[in-house]
Amino acid sequence: VSRSRIFDGRALRQRGFTLVTGVFLIGILAALSIYMIGMRVIQDSSAIIDTLGTRAYAAARAGAEWGAYQALRPGPCVAAVNSFALGGTLAGFTATVTTTPSTYNEGGTTVTICNIQSNACNIPAAGGCPNAAGGTNYAERQITIVTGK
């Protein structure tokens, strides 16, 4: 038996092994690529939601400061609910400011405590916040402050 026949027989039996390995590696690399793309999308959406939350906090703070200004102006603190759209870098956000006065007697002096609650969101319901329906990119923050006169 010649040596070339043995070699030819082995070569015929092992044909296609490299093709199976190649297909397996391409499949693994494709699955890894899909996973990495999915992680990138999750990271991007997390960054967007984080930015919306920060802007909602700034909008709620702006509403609380507006409410404090209204409460500390000359005149009584009155019960009111005001909603307004914000501009500038907070465009797209709405703040709803609720003012609730409470009157107390402190050693014969009448003191009015004004509770100011500011809700801010980017998808208002009926022109105000909060929105119970929300949505995928819904961001809302609430700040409560207390002032007295």
Side-chain angles (χ1 to χ4, degrees):
V1 178
S2 78
R3 193 173 190 154
S4 63
R5 274 187 160 169
I6 295 173
F7 180 73
D8 288 341
R10 287 184 196 156
L12 288 176
R13 285 188 302 239
Q14 294 181 0
R15 191 175 278 182
F17 176 74
T18 307
L19 179 65
V20 172
T21 305
V23 170
F24 176 74
L25 287 175
I26 289 173
I28 294 295
L29 290 175
L32 185 61
S33 298
I34 290 170
Y35 174 76
M36 290 174 65
I37 290 171
M39 289 302 293
R40 172 64 188 215
V41 169
I42 289 171
Q43 286 178 342
D44 285 347
S45 62
S46 295
I48 290 169
I49 290 171
D50 186 40
T51 302
L52 285 174
T54 302
R55 291 179 65 209
Y57 175 76
R61 186 171 171 146
E65 290 175 5
W66 180 86
Y69 172 77
Q70 299 299 320
L72 295 173
R73 288 179 30 192
C77 174
V78 294
V81 176
N82 296 298
S83 291
F84 51 91
L86 298 163
T89 57
L90 299 177
F93 282 84
T94 300
T96 300
V97 181
T98 306
T99 308
T100 310
S102 301
T103 306
Y104 299 97
N105 186 350
E106 296 245 351
T109 305
T110 302
V111 178
T112 302
I113 303 295
C114 198
N115 187 18
I116 302 162
Q117 180 180 351
S118 175
N119 284 337
C121 65
N122 61 340
I123 306 172
C129 297
N131 182 351
T136 352
N137 290 327
Y138 179 70
E140 175 194 345
R141 296 294 183 267
Q142 177 182 348
I143 294 178
T144 302
I145 61 173
V146 178
T147 64
K149 287 189 185 186

